[in-house]
Amino acid sequence: MKLAKNILKCNRNLVLSQRSLATSQKTLAAQTITVREAITNAMDEEIGRDERVFLIGEEVAQYDGAYKMSKGLWKKYGDKRVVDTPITEMGFAGIAVGAAMVKVPIVFRGPNGAAMGVGAQHSQEYASWYSQCPGLKVVSPYSAEDCRGLLKAAIRDDDPVVFLENELVYGSQFPISEEALSPDFVLPIGKGKIEREGKNVTLVSHSKGVHLCLETAKELEQSGIDCEVINLRSLRPLDEDLIKNSVKKTHHLVTVELGWPQCSIGAEIISRICESDAFDYLDSAPLRVTGADVPLPYAKTLEQNSLPQVAN
Amino acid sequence: MRQIQVELESVIMNSYTKLLAILQPNTSRRILLQRRDAFHSNTVKSPINISGSSAVNTKQQSRFSSTDSSSKTLDYEAKNAYKLHLLEEGPKTNVSCNREEGLEFYKKMQVVRRMEASANNMYKSKLIRGFCHLYSGQEAVCVGMRAAMDKSDSLITAYRAHGWSYMMGVSVTGVLAELTGRKSGCAEGKGGSMHMYAPNFYGGNGIVGAQVPLGAGVAFAHKYRGEPNICVALYGDGAANQGQVFEAYNMAKLWALPCIFVCENNGYGMGTSAARASANPHFYTRCEYIPGIWVDGMDVLAVREATRFAKEWCVSGKGPMIMEMATYRYFGHSMSDPGTSYRTREEIQDVRKSRDPITSFREKVIQAGLASDEEFKTIDNEVKKIVEDAENHAQNDPELHVDEMYSHVYSNPPKNYMIRGCDSFTYKEATK
């Protein structure tokens, strides 16, 4: 039955379905895709699935996306479903919101946070800004699987969703399971994931910060410190319970992010933990690792030192 | 004589417009534009200059026809009711209505007028709080436009929205009780004056100019779905200089969106007259690639005719159109503004006496023999009762229960999602 449904979708799925006939899901060799592919394919599938869905933005059609995230979509779906706009953000964001009021599902997606040497005006991290607003849902995926599942969930959600990507991971390869490649694979908005289980300290992060935490965990392992790394996936709603349960286990908490310290995501997490019963389980004060409280400089060493590193 | 002069002016204006359409942007075009504007300002007075204005004075121009008593109509030439930009032809100047329509338009305008008067009183008695922007004086715009729209057409406006809320289907109770924050209000009291909604009516928007791109977006959705509907996006003379309005014009024209951009020019953006705020106060000409129509916004039949023309234009796939409704507001910008520090009381009284949309329409209907003074008095009493009844509800109905604060945050709240109250001990489940 599943095979029959998949054959009706795009070619990619056909290939995968044949494979799943031959072997069971668990013993398959891990396939990898890049974050870019995950996002492009998720959009492709959702545009194909629901007539109401269209992609609108600067350079999304004939340029294949300012960061090539919508490659091939315009050729496949044409002008009606993939719409190039003039460089008038206020105008077309307003148009998108107007269409959303008439029950067109809306997702605001794009790169967030620092890239490499793009200077302060192009490096701002908006996680805190958006996650402050009641009525919005805000997600900040890390892996390709996160991107795929959360983007599909965001598009299918009736509420407005802000989908924060990170330019630097667009090209990164991630392993992805068969299940994650199925066309109806959605991840629940509001739930995080434990990327690495551990016993001694909880590291909580989102987006690229998760990578940093995993690298840190590897290094600390050698000193005998076992880190539990949590990938938040969603910033609003925040998966408070996941963090609380982890803290109850490890008794230590460090939040990690690339944004500025004042009113950071970490500040929110720590406040919530302190207000909850998990506070009693802490053996030391919770700490934050964030970007430096400065507009991001351009010069290479300055930039590197303005953003968190494993050493922090 | 006056008629000949007006016709001559309009021929000259049209010639300028045609020449401009041919010329490339260069010195000649610039000089021609200046000449045209000089001619325009010399011959056609600004709509808000009411002394000796060339704005509609239909008493002189109109002819009332009454055929035999069973099929009487109000029929006249609204010759000065339109000015055109980038259009060869405009709406019909011969406007008419039958008795039924005449009485209906009168009644609706009167409801809006009385409803706003009631809001004024309730605000002064502190039953209404915060913002309250009254529509009195502008009734012919909302009644006339709505009469030319289909039920499934959409509309979005700014904050002077009570009249529009009523015309788009909210009952008088729904409006007044919303103003007093009761649960019988159309947004259950959660919105207040600037946030009223109804099917196909997208408010009610507080941020100046922001509703214009939204309106273009609603039009986008109509077109995307192949629906034969328009979206009317209204804004004021104050908002007409906002950058986002021009961004919306650009995309609406590029994509031929079925959107009518309507500038309700009541002469003042808060306390700043149109002439002091706009380098070009001829708002219907503000876009060099979208056709525009200036309409006498005090003449309900002219408004209806012009809207019919604009709607047909949009629906036939020709793209957007701009309309400028020359109208007037009697009250100040909002309840905190007496409205007399930037204009004279004489000006306000003058408009009431010579150009009021309701009394002037009534006179025309009576003169055409469609209805009598007594019938109008009966309607006035009916309207009084409707508004009093609504006032009753607005003053006595309860507010929403405090727990309802946590509803309508998400249309699709995650399961068991709890919303935080004002302290860490208060969490309530989110409801739809």
Side-chain angles (χ1 to χ4, degrees), chain A residues 51 53-54 80-81 83-86 88 90-92 94-95 98-99 101-102 104 135-137 157-159 236-237 275, chain B residues 156 202 213-214 216-218 220-221 224-225 242 244 247 250-251 254-255 257 409-414 417 420 424 427:
Chain A
E51 268 177 5
V53 176
F54 59 89
K80 184 177 177 193
R81 309 299 297 283
V83 184
D84 266 340
T85 65
T88 47
M90 212 162 158
F92 71 77
I95 282 185
M101 285 165 115
V102 198
V104 174
L136 276 186
K137 290 181 180 165
D157 196 320
D158 283 338
D159 287 310
R236 184 185 259 273
E275 283 176 342
Chain B
I156 190 169
Y202 300 97
L214 260 58
V218 174
F220 186 99
Y224 184 84
R225 295 176 183 170
Q242 282 260 321
Q244 55 193 324
E247 294 189 16
N250 182 41
M251 284 182 272
L254 270 179
W255 301 331
L257 300 184
V409 176
Y410 286 125
S411 83
N412 184 23
Y417 180 66
R420 188 185 159 112
S424 56
Y427 283 90

Short mmCIF file of all heavy atoms in Angstrom, two decimals, chain A residues 51 53-54 80-81 83-86 88 90-92 94-95 98-99 101-102 104 135-137 157-159 236-237 275, chain B residues 156 202 213-214 216-218 220-221 224-225 242 244 247 250-251 254-255 257 409-414 417 420 424 427:
data_model
loop_
_atom_site.label_atom_id
_atom_site.label_comp_id
_atom_site.label_asym_id
_atom_site.label_seq_id
_atom_site.Cartn_x
_atom_site.Cartn_y
_atom_site.Cartn_z
N GLU A 51 -2.53 22.35 -3.63
CA GLU A 51 -2.66 23.43 -4.60
C GLU A 51 -2.57 24.82 -4.01
O GLU A 51 -2.30 25.77 -4.71
CB GLU A 51 -4.04 23.35 -5.25
CG GLU A 51 -4.05 22.55 -6.48
CD GLU A 51 -5.46 22.43 -7.02
OE1 GLU A 51 -6.38 23.07 -6.45
OE2 GLU A 51 -5.62 21.70 -7.98
N VAL A 53 -0.47 25.87 -1.90
CA VAL A 53 0.88 26.27 -1.53
C VAL A 53 1.61 26.90 -2.71
O VAL A 53 1.61 26.36 -3.82
CB VAL A 53 1.68 25.04 -1.05
CG1 VAL A 53 3.13 25.42 -0.74
CG2 VAL A 53 1.03 24.45 0.19
N PHE A 54 2.22 28.06 -2.49
CA PHE A 54 3.09 28.61 -3.53
C PHE A 54 4.30 29.24 -2.85
O PHE A 54 4.27 29.52 -1.66
CB PHE A 54 2.35 29.62 -4.41
CG PHE A 54 1.77 30.80 -3.68
CD1 PHE A 54 2.52 31.96 -3.46
CD2 PHE A 54 0.45 30.77 -3.22
CE1 PHE A 54 1.97 33.05 -2.79
CE2 PHE A 54 -0.09 31.85 -2.56
CZ PHE A 54 0.67 32.99 -2.33
N LYS A 80 3.02 30.38 -11.82
CA LYS A 80 1.93 30.54 -10.85
C LYS A 80 2.33 30.06 -9.46
O LYS A 80 1.96 30.67 -8.46
CB LYS A 80 0.70 29.77 -11.33
CG LYS A 80 -0.50 30.00 -10.40
CD LYS A 80 -1.77 29.32 -10.86
CE LYS A 80 -2.84 29.58 -9.77
NZ LYS A 80 -4.00 28.77 -9.89
N ARG A 81 3.11 28.99 -9.40
CA ARG A 81 3.42 28.39 -8.10
C ARG A 81 4.73 28.91 -7.51
O ARG A 81 4.97 28.78 -6.31
CB ARG A 81 3.52 26.87 -8.23
CG ARG A 81 2.36 26.19 -8.92
CD ARG A 81 1.04 26.39 -8.24
NE ARG A 81 0.98 25.83 -6.91
CZ ARG A 81 0.83 24.54 -6.61
NH1 ARG A 81 0.75 23.63 -7.58
NH2 ARG A 81 0.77 24.13 -5.36
N VAL A 83 6.87 32.36 -7.50
CA VAL A 83 6.70 33.76 -7.93
C VAL A 83 7.89 34.63 -7.55
O VAL A 83 8.21 34.76 -6.37
CB VAL A 83 5.42 34.34 -7.26
CG1 VAL A 83 5.14 35.74 -7.75
CG2 VAL A 83 4.21 33.44 -7.52
N ASP A 84 8.51 35.23 -8.55
CA ASP A 84 9.60 36.18 -8.30
C ASP A 84 9.00 37.53 -7.91
O ASP A 84 8.06 37.99 -8.55
CB ASP A 84 10.42 36.40 -9.58
CG ASP A 84 11.62 35.48 -9.66
OD1 ASP A 84 12.06 34.96 -8.61
OD2 ASP A 84 12.12 35.28 -10.78
N THR A 85 9.56 38.17 -6.90
CA THR A 85 9.05 39.50 -6.54
C THR A 85 10.14 40.54 -6.78
O THR A 85 11.32 40.22 -6.83
CB THR A 85 8.70 39.56 -5.05
OG1 THR A 85 9.90 39.42 -4.29
CG2 THR A 85 7.70 38.51 -4.64
N PRO A 86 9.73 41.79 -6.89
CA PRO A 86 10.72 42.87 -6.90
C PRO A 86 11.34 42.97 -5.50
O PRO A 86 10.84 42.35 -4.55
CB PRO A 86 9.91 44.13 -7.20
CG PRO A 86 8.52 43.70 -7.41
CD PRO A 86 8.37 42.28 -6.99
N THR A 88 11.21 44.39 -2.74
CA THR A 88 10.37 45.25 -1.91
C THR A 88 9.80 44.39 -0.80
O THR A 88 8.66 43.93 -0.85
CB THR A 88 9.22 45.85 -2.74
OG1 THR A 88 8.60 44.82 -3.51
CG2 THR A 88 9.72 46.91 -3.68
N MET A 90 8.88 44.79 2.33
CA MET A 90 7.69 45.18 3.10
C MET A 90 6.45 44.88 2.28
O MET A 90 5.44 44.40 2.77
CB MET A 90 7.77 46.68 3.35
CG MET A 90 7.17 47.11 4.63
SD MET A 90 7.78 48.75 5.01
CE MET A 90 6.54 49.30 6.12
N GLY A 91 6.56 45.17 0.98
CA GLY A 91 5.43 44.95 0.08
C GLY A 91 5.06 43.49 -0.04
O GLY A 91 3.90 43.12 0.17
N PHE A 92 6.05 42.63 -0.34
CA PHE A 92 5.61 41.26 -0.58
C PHE A 92 5.40 40.47 0.70
O PHE A 92 4.62 39.51 0.71
CB PHE A 92 6.47 40.51 -1.61
CG PHE A 92 7.85 40.13 -1.18
CD1 PHE A 92 8.06 39.05 -0.32
CD2 PHE A 92 8.96 40.81 -1.67
CE1 PHE A 92 9.34 38.69 0.05
CE2 PHE A 92 10.24 40.45 -1.30
CZ PHE A 92 10.43 39.39 -0.44
N GLY A 94 3.84 41.85 3.11
CA GLY A 94 2.45 42.25 3.32
C GLY A 94 1.51 41.45 2.42
O GLY A 94 0.46 41.00 2.85
N ILE A 95 1.91 41.28 1.17
CA ILE A 95 1.08 40.50 0.25
C ILE A 95 0.94 39.07 0.74
O ILE A 95 -0.15 38.48 0.71
CB ILE A 95 1.67 40.55 -1.18
CG1 ILE A 95 1.32 41.90 -1.80
CG2 ILE A 95 1.18 39.42 -2.04
CD1 ILE A 95 1.72 42.05 -3.25
N GLY A 98 -1.45 39.06 3.56
CA GLY A 98 -2.82 39.23 3.06
C GLY A 98 -3.36 37.92 2.51
O GLY A 98 -4.50 37.54 2.78
N ALA A 99 -2.53 37.22 1.74
CA ALA A 99 -2.98 35.92 1.21
C ALA A 99 -3.20 34.93 2.35
O ALA A 99 -4.15 34.15 2.32
CB ALA A 99 -1.94 35.37 0.23
N MET A 101 -4.33 35.60 5.21
CA MET A 101 -5.61 35.88 5.85
C MET A 101 -6.75 35.19 5.11
O MET A 101 -7.83 35.00 5.65
CB MET A 101 -5.88 37.39 5.84
CG MET A 101 -5.06 38.15 6.84
SD MET A 101 -5.08 39.91 6.48
CE MET A 101 -5.91 40.53 7.89
N VAL A 102 -6.51 34.84 3.85
CA VAL A 102 -7.53 34.15 3.07
C VAL A 102 -7.21 32.66 3.03
O VAL A 102 -7.46 31.98 2.04
CB VAL A 102 -7.60 34.74 1.65
CG1 VAL A 102 -8.90 34.37 0.98
CG2 VAL A 102 -7.53 36.26 1.71
N VAL A 104 -4.39 30.91 2.99
CA VAL A 104 -3.25 30.29 2.31
C VAL A 104 -2.23 30.07 3.40
O VAL A 104 -1.87 30.99 4.13
CB VAL A 104 -2.68 31.25 1.24
CG1 VAL A 104 -1.42 30.70 0.64
CG2 VAL A 104 -3.71 31.53 0.18
N GLY A 135 1.42 33.86 19.19
CA GLY A 135 0.69 33.70 17.94
C GLY A 135 1.56 33.23 16.79
O GLY A 135 1.07 32.70 15.80
N LEU A 136 2.89 33.40 16.94
CA LEU A 136 3.79 32.87 15.92
C LEU A 136 4.29 31.51 16.37
O LEU A 136 4.34 31.23 17.56
CB LEU A 136 5.03 33.77 15.77
CG LEU A 136 4.98 34.99 14.89
CD1 LEU A 136 6.37 35.60 14.80
CD2 LEU A 136 4.49 34.66 13.49
N LYS A 137 4.70 30.69 15.42
CA LYS A 137 5.46 29.50 15.78
C LYS A 137 6.83 29.69 15.16
O LYS A 137 6.94 30.18 14.03
CB LYS A 137 4.78 28.25 15.23
CG LYS A 137 3.46 27.96 15.94
CD LYS A 137 2.80 26.70 15.40
CE LYS A 137 1.49 26.46 16.15
NZ LYS A 137 0.62 25.50 15.50
N ASP A 157 0.85 23.59 8.60
CA ASP A 157 0.25 24.18 9.81
C ASP A 157 -0.54 25.44 9.45
O ASP A 157 -0.09 26.25 8.66
CB ASP A 157 1.38 24.55 10.79
CG ASP A 157 0.88 24.79 12.20
OD1 ASP A 157 -0.20 25.42 12.36
OD2 ASP A 157 1.55 24.35 13.14
N ASP A 158 -1.72 25.57 10.03
CA ASP A 158 -2.55 26.73 9.73
C ASP A 158 -2.04 28.01 10.35
O ASP A 158 -2.47 29.10 9.98
CB ASP A 158 -3.99 26.50 10.25
CG ASP A 158 -4.74 25.58 9.33
OD1 ASP A 158 -4.35 25.47 8.15
OD2 ASP A 158 -5.71 24.95 9.79
N ASP A 159 -1.18 27.89 11.35
CA ASP A 159 -0.67 29.10 11.99
C ASP A 159 0.56 29.61 11.24
O ASP A 159 1.24 28.85 10.57
CB ASP A 159 -0.28 28.79 13.44
CG ASP A 159 -1.50 28.62 14.33
OD1 ASP A 159 -2.38 29.48 14.29
OD2 ASP A 159 -1.56 27.61 15.04
N ARG A 236 9.52 28.31 19.56
CA ARG A 236 8.20 28.65 20.10
C ARG A 236 7.21 27.75 19.43
O ARG A 236 7.05 27.88 18.22
CB ARG A 236 7.83 30.11 19.83
CG ARG A 236 6.50 30.47 20.48
CD ARG A 236 6.04 31.89 20.13
NE ARG A 236 6.30 32.85 21.18
CZ ARG A 236 5.48 33.11 22.21
NH1 ARG A 236 4.35 32.46 22.34
NH2 ARG A 236 5.81 34.00 23.11
N PRO A 237 6.58 26.83 20.10
CA PRO A 237 6.71 26.54 21.52
C PRO A 237 8.03 25.83 21.86
O PRO A 237 8.53 25.06 21.06
CB PRO A 237 5.54 25.60 21.79
CG PRO A 237 4.75 25.52 20.54
CD PRO A 237 5.59 25.99 19.43
N GLU A 275 12.40 28.59 37.38
CA GLU A 275 11.04 28.75 37.90
C GLU A 275 10.38 27.39 38.15
O GLU A 275 9.34 27.31 38.79
CB GLU A 275 10.19 29.54 36.91
CG GLU A 275 10.47 31.03 36.95
CD GLU A 275 9.68 31.78 35.89
OE1 GLU A 275 9.20 31.14 34.93
OE2 GLU A 275 9.55 33.01 36.01
N ILE B 156 -10.42 45.65 2.72
CA ILE B 156 -9.59 45.90 3.90
C ILE B 156 -9.40 47.41 4.02
O ILE B 156 -9.27 48.11 3.02
CB ILE B 156 -8.23 45.16 3.79
CG1 ILE B 156 -7.47 45.22 5.11
CG2 ILE B 156 -7.36 45.74 2.68
CD1 ILE B 156 -6.25 44.30 5.16
N TYR B 202 -11.34 42.32 6.13
CA TYR B 202 -10.11 42.07 6.90
C TYR B 202 -9.73 43.26 7.76
O TYR B 202 -8.56 43.60 7.89
CB TYR B 202 -9.01 41.66 5.90
CG TYR B 202 -9.40 40.39 5.16
CD1 TYR B 202 -9.99 40.44 3.91
CD2 TYR B 202 -9.26 39.15 5.79
CE1 TYR B 202 -10.40 39.28 3.28
CE2 TYR B 202 -9.67 37.99 5.15
CZ TYR B 202 -10.24 38.07 3.91
OH TYR B 202 -10.65 36.92 3.28
N PRO B 213 -0.50 46.64 1.32
CA PRO B 213 0.05 45.39 0.79
C PRO B 213 -0.78 44.17 1.17
O PRO B 213 -0.90 43.22 0.39
CB PRO B 213 1.45 45.29 1.40
CG PRO B 213 1.77 46.64 1.91
CD PRO B 213 0.49 47.34 2.17
N LEU B 214 -1.39 44.19 2.34
CA LEU B 214 -2.25 43.07 2.74
C LEU B 214 -3.40 42.95 1.75
O LEU B 214 -3.77 41.85 1.32
CB LEU B 214 -2.80 43.29 4.15
CG LEU B 214 -2.10 42.56 5.29
CD1 LEU B 214 -0.64 42.90 5.38
CD2 LEU B 214 -2.78 42.83 6.61
N ALA B 216 -3.44 43.90 -1.33
CA ALA B 216 -2.91 43.34 -2.58
C ALA B 216 -2.75 41.83 -2.44
O ALA B 216 -2.96 41.08 -3.39
CB ALA B 216 -1.58 43.99 -2.93
N GLY B 217 -2.40 41.37 -1.25
CA GLY B 217 -2.25 39.94 -1.00
C GLY B 217 -3.57 39.20 -1.06
O GLY B 217 -3.66 38.08 -1.57
N VAL B 218 -4.62 39.83 -0.57
CA VAL B 218 -5.95 39.20 -0.66
C VAL B 218 -6.35 39.11 -2.13
O VAL B 218 -6.86 38.08 -2.59
CB VAL B 218 -6.99 40.00 0.15
CG1 VAL B 218 -8.38 39.45 -0.06
CG2 VAL B 218 -6.65 39.99 1.63
N PHE B 220 -4.29 38.90 -4.55
CA PHE B 220 -3.42 37.85 -5.08
C PHE B 220 -4.06 36.49 -4.88
O PHE B 220 -4.12 35.65 -5.79
CB PHE B 220 -2.06 37.91 -4.38
CG PHE B 220 -1.03 36.97 -4.92
CD1 PHE B 220 -0.05 37.43 -5.80
CD2 PHE B 220 -1.00 35.63 -4.56
CE1 PHE B 220 0.92 36.56 -6.31
CE2 PHE B 220 -0.04 34.76 -5.06
CZ PHE B 220 0.92 35.23 -5.94
N ALA B 221 -4.59 36.27 -3.67
CA ALA B 221 -5.22 34.98 -3.37
C ALA B 221 -6.45 34.77 -4.26
O ALA B 221 -6.68 33.66 -4.76
CB ALA B 221 -5.60 34.90 -1.89
N TYR B 224 -5.12 33.89 -7.66
CA TYR B 224 -4.47 32.58 -7.61
C TYR B 224 -5.49 31.46 -7.70
O TYR B 224 -5.29 30.42 -8.33
CB TYR B 224 -3.66 32.49 -6.33
CG TYR B 224 -2.85 31.25 -6.16
CD1 TYR B 224 -1.59 31.14 -6.74
CD2 TYR B 224 -3.33 30.16 -5.42
CE1 TYR B 224 -0.83 29.99 -6.59
CE2 TYR B 224 -2.57 29.02 -5.27
CZ TYR B 224 -1.33 28.94 -5.85
OH TYR B 224 -0.58 27.80 -5.69
N ARG B 225 -6.63 31.69 -7.02
CA ARG B 225 -7.65 30.64 -7.00
C ARG B 225 -8.61 30.74 -8.16
O ARG B 225 -9.60 30.01 -8.20
CB ARG B 225 -8.46 30.78 -5.71
CG ARG B 225 -7.67 30.53 -4.50
CD ARG B 225 -8.52 30.79 -3.29
NE ARG B 225 -7.71 30.62 -2.12
CZ ARG B 225 -8.08 30.95 -0.90
NH1 ARG B 225 -9.26 31.48 -0.71
NH2 ARG B 225 -7.28 30.76 0.12
N GLN B 242 3.10 56.56 2.03
CA GLN B 242 3.88 55.45 2.57
C GLN B 242 4.56 54.64 1.46
O GLN B 242 3.95 54.33 0.44
CB GLN B 242 2.94 54.50 3.32
CG GLN B 242 2.53 54.98 4.70
CD GLN B 242 3.35 54.30 5.78
OE1 GLN B 242 3.66 53.12 5.69
NE2 GLN B 242 3.70 55.04 6.80
N GLN B 244 5.31 51.54 1.39
CA GLN B 244 4.73 50.22 1.15
C GLN B 244 3.52 50.29 0.22
O GLN B 244 3.18 49.31 -0.44
CB GLN B 244 4.37 49.53 2.46
CG GLN B 244 3.45 50.31 3.35
CD GLN B 244 3.40 49.71 4.76
OE1 GLN B 244 3.45 48.49 4.90
NE2 GLN B 244 3.28 50.54 5.78
N GLU B 247 5.03 50.02 -3.09
CA GLU B 247 5.48 48.65 -3.32
C GLU B 247 4.29 47.80 -3.74
O GLU B 247 4.37 46.96 -4.64
CB GLU B 247 6.12 48.08 -2.05
CG GLU B 247 7.42 48.79 -1.66
CD GLU B 247 8.19 48.10 -0.54
OE1 GLU B 247 7.91 46.92 -0.25
OE2 GLU B 247 9.09 48.74 0.03
N ASN B 250 3.26 48.53 -7.36
CA ASN B 250 4.17 47.92 -8.31
C ASN B 250 3.82 46.46 -8.55
O ASN B 250 3.65 46.01 -9.68
CB ASN B 250 5.61 48.06 -7.79
CG ASN B 250 6.63 47.50 -8.75
OD1 ASN B 250 6.53 47.66 -9.96
ND2 ASN B 250 7.62 46.82 -8.21
N MET B 251 3.69 45.71 -7.46
CA MET B 251 3.40 44.28 -7.63
C MET B 251 2.00 44.05 -8.17
O MET B 251 1.77 43.15 -8.98
CB MET B 251 3.64 43.55 -6.31
CG MET B 251 5.14 43.37 -6.07
SD MET B 251 5.55 42.47 -4.59
CE MET B 251 5.60 43.77 -3.39
N LEU B 254 2.35 44.64 -11.87
CA LEU B 254 3.16 43.60 -12.51
C LEU B 254 2.36 42.33 -12.71
O LEU B 254 2.44 41.67 -13.73
CB LEU B 254 4.34 43.24 -11.60
CG LEU B 254 5.65 44.01 -11.76
CD1 LEU B 254 6.65 43.49 -10.74
CD2 LEU B 254 6.22 43.82 -13.17
N TRP B 255 1.58 41.96 -11.67
CA TRP B 255 0.89 40.68 -11.69
C TRP B 255 -0.59 40.82 -12.03
O TRP B 255 -1.35 39.87 -11.89
CB TRP B 255 1.07 39.98 -10.34
CG TRP B 255 2.50 39.74 -9.98
CD1 TRP B 255 3.55 39.54 -10.86
CD2 TRP B 255 3.07 39.69 -8.68
NE1 TRP B 255 4.74 39.38 -10.16
CE2 TRP B 255 4.46 39.45 -8.82
CE3 TRP B 255 2.55 39.81 -7.39
CZ2 TRP B 255 5.33 39.36 -7.72
CZ3 TRP B 255 3.40 39.69 -6.30
CH2 TRP B 255 4.78 39.48 -6.47
N LEU B 257 -3.10 42.23 -10.47
CA LEU B 257 -3.94 41.78 -9.36
C LEU B 257 -5.28 42.52 -9.40
O LEU B 257 -5.32 43.71 -9.69
CB LEU B 257 -3.25 42.05 -8.02
CG LEU B 257 -1.90 41.35 -7.80
CD1 LEU B 257 -1.38 41.64 -6.40
CD2 LEU B 257 -2.02 39.85 -8.01
N VAL B 409 -5.06 32.30 20.32
CA VAL B 409 -3.66 32.69 20.13
C VAL B 409 -3.11 31.93 18.93
O VAL B 409 -2.44 32.49 18.06
CB VAL B 409 -2.83 32.41 21.40
CG1 VAL B 409 -1.37 32.71 21.17
CG2 VAL B 409 -3.36 33.25 22.55
N TYR B 410 -3.39 30.64 18.90
CA TYR B 410 -3.07 29.82 17.73
C TYR B 410 -4.36 29.27 17.16
O TYR B 410 -5.29 28.95 17.91
CB TYR B 410 -2.19 28.63 18.12
CG TYR B 410 -0.76 28.98 18.44
CD1 TYR B 410 -0.19 28.63 19.66
CD2 TYR B 410 0.04 29.66 17.52
CE1 TYR B 410 1.13 28.93 19.94
CE2 TYR B 410 1.36 29.96 17.80
CZ TYR B 410 1.90 29.59 19.01
OH TYR B 410 3.20 29.90 19.30
N SER B 411 -4.41 29.09 15.84
CA SER B 411 -5.60 28.42 15.31
C SER B 411 -5.40 26.92 15.46
O SER B 411 -6.34 26.14 15.40
CB SER B 411 -5.82 28.82 13.86
OG SER B 411 -5.04 28.05 13.02
N ASN B 412 -4.16 26.52 15.66
CA ASN B 412 -3.82 25.10 15.73
C ASN B 412 -2.84 24.89 16.88
O ASN B 412 -1.66 24.61 16.65
CB ASN B 412 -3.19 24.73 14.38
CG ASN B 412 -2.89 23.27 14.28
OD1 ASN B 412 -3.50 22.45 14.98
ND2 ASN B 412 -1.93 22.93 13.44
N PRO B 413 -3.28 25.06 18.12
CA PRO B 413 -2.32 24.96 19.21
C PRO B 413 -1.80 23.54 19.35
O PRO B 413 -2.55 22.59 19.19
CB PRO B 413 -3.13 25.38 20.45
CG PRO B 413 -4.55 25.25 20.07
CD PRO B 413 -4.65 25.32 18.59
N PRO B 414 -0.52 23.39 19.67
CA PRO B 414 0.00 22.04 19.89
C PRO B 414 -0.74 21.41 21.07
O PRO B 414 -1.25 22.12 21.94
CB PRO B 414 1.47 22.27 20.25
CG PRO B 414 1.76 23.66 19.80
CD PRO B 414 0.50 24.42 19.84
N TYR B 417 -0.72 22.46 24.95
CA TYR B 417 0.13 23.65 25.04
C TYR B 417 -0.41 24.61 26.09
O TYR B 417 -1.58 24.96 26.09
CB TYR B 417 0.18 24.33 23.67
CG TYR B 417 1.03 25.57 23.63
CD1 TYR B 417 2.41 25.49 23.81
CD2 TYR B 417 0.47 26.82 23.41
CE1 TYR B 417 3.20 26.61 23.76
CE2 TYR B 417 1.26 27.95 23.36
CZ TYR B 417 2.62 27.85 23.54
OH TYR B 417 3.39 28.98 23.49
N ARG B 420 1.47 30.98 29.32
CA ARG B 420 1.85 31.57 30.60
C ARG B 420 1.07 32.84 30.86
O ARG B 420 0.86 33.67 29.99
CB ARG B 420 3.35 31.87 30.54
CG ARG B 420 3.93 32.31 31.85
CD ARG B 420 5.39 32.70 31.64
NE ARG B 420 5.84 33.57 32.69
CZ ARG B 420 6.75 33.23 33.61
NH1 ARG B 420 7.32 32.04 33.58
NH2 ARG B 420 7.11 34.08 34.54
N SER B 424 4.87 33.00 37.23
CA SER B 424 5.27 31.63 36.91
C SER B 424 4.32 30.59 37.50
O SER B 424 4.52 29.40 37.32
CB SER B 424 6.68 31.38 37.42
OG SER B 424 6.74 31.66 38.81
N TYR B 427 -0.56 29.25 34.42
CA TYR B 427 -0.51 28.69 33.08
C TYR B 427 -1.89 28.19 32.73
O TYR B 427 -2.53 27.53 33.53
CB TYR B 427 0.48 27.51 33.01
CG TYR B 427 1.92 27.94 32.96
CD1 TYR B 427 2.66 28.12 34.13
CD2 TYR B 427 2.55 28.16 31.75
CE1 TYR B 427 3.98 28.52 34.08
CE2 TYR B 427 3.88 28.55 31.68
CZ TYR B 427 4.58 28.74 32.86
OH TYR B 427 5.89 29.14 32.81
#
